[in-house]
Amino acid sequence: AQSVTQPDIHITVSEGASLELRCNYSYGATPYLFWYVQSPGQGLQLLLKYFSGDTLVQGIKGFEAEFKRSQSSFNLRKPSVHWSDAAEYFCAVGEAAGNKLTFGGGTRVLVKP
Amino acid sequence: ETGVTQSPTHLIKTRGQQVTLRCSSQSGHNTVSWYQQALGQGPQFIFQYYREEENGRGNFPPRFSGLQFPNYSSELNVNALELDDSALYLCASSSVIGSRDTQYFGPGTRLTVL
């Protein structure tokens, strides 16, 4: 069965500093990988996705993620964080021929001024 | 912001009651998935509907049921509500069956069971 682990429950970062959120997945074949962001009281917004090809994926809002098959990881990064990036971030994996996304537990990001 | 809408925004029910949540999918999308997000957790897949037929179900009991209509809008019904059903219920639509296509999420319905 597929699973996703986000080891960091909370991360606090200063505005302007870099951010990296960790995601490890378990899946037997090539996964479809996603990062979503959820602001308080909101639904989920897709930041980026990986299906195949270049392992470094660019997303919206200046985010990028790198797929590393050997480490079963799909970490999310941003070079310089803005106060508006404070939110909860979810990594998810989908089956190639399946129908569901399996989400990690999320990482809450707090941004200090 | 996506074109997926959900109603109502908030709902309070008592244990044992029944509830219906509604979702209007994004224009052109024929697939709808429902997720339950308990407080402090990631969303969990409930089921998916494709062209009015259920296309897969997560680890949820039969008292969770759904419908998809010809216009691809959808309902989630929960019978015999339990306290643990308190959660944010998210609807997501996509234009292609399966997980390859991006799922666009609505804002959710917050259900509180007392």
Side-chain angles (χ1 to χ4, degrees), chain A residues 47-48 58-64 76-78 85 89:
Chain A
L47 288 175
L48 46 79
Q58 301 297 320
I60 63 171
K61 304 185 179 185
F63 285 93
E64 67 177 24
L76 181 72
R77 298 191 293 254
K78 185 169 184 177
D85 293 322
Y89 293 78

Side-chain angles (χ1 to χ4, degrees), chain A residues 95 97-100, chain B residues 30-34 45-58 68 94 96-99 103:
Chain A
E95 299 173 356
N99 47 31
K100 69 175 184 179
Chain B
N30 56 19
T31 303
V32 174
S33 302
W34 285 91
F45 176 74
I46 303 175
F47 43 56
Q48 183 182 82
Y49 278 82
Y50 172 67
R51 292 187 176 179
E52 303 177 57
E53 297 285 333
E54 186 178 293
N55 177 55
R57 186 179 187 91
Q68 188 181 30
S94 56
V96 175
I97 194 171
S99 61
Q103 295 189 18

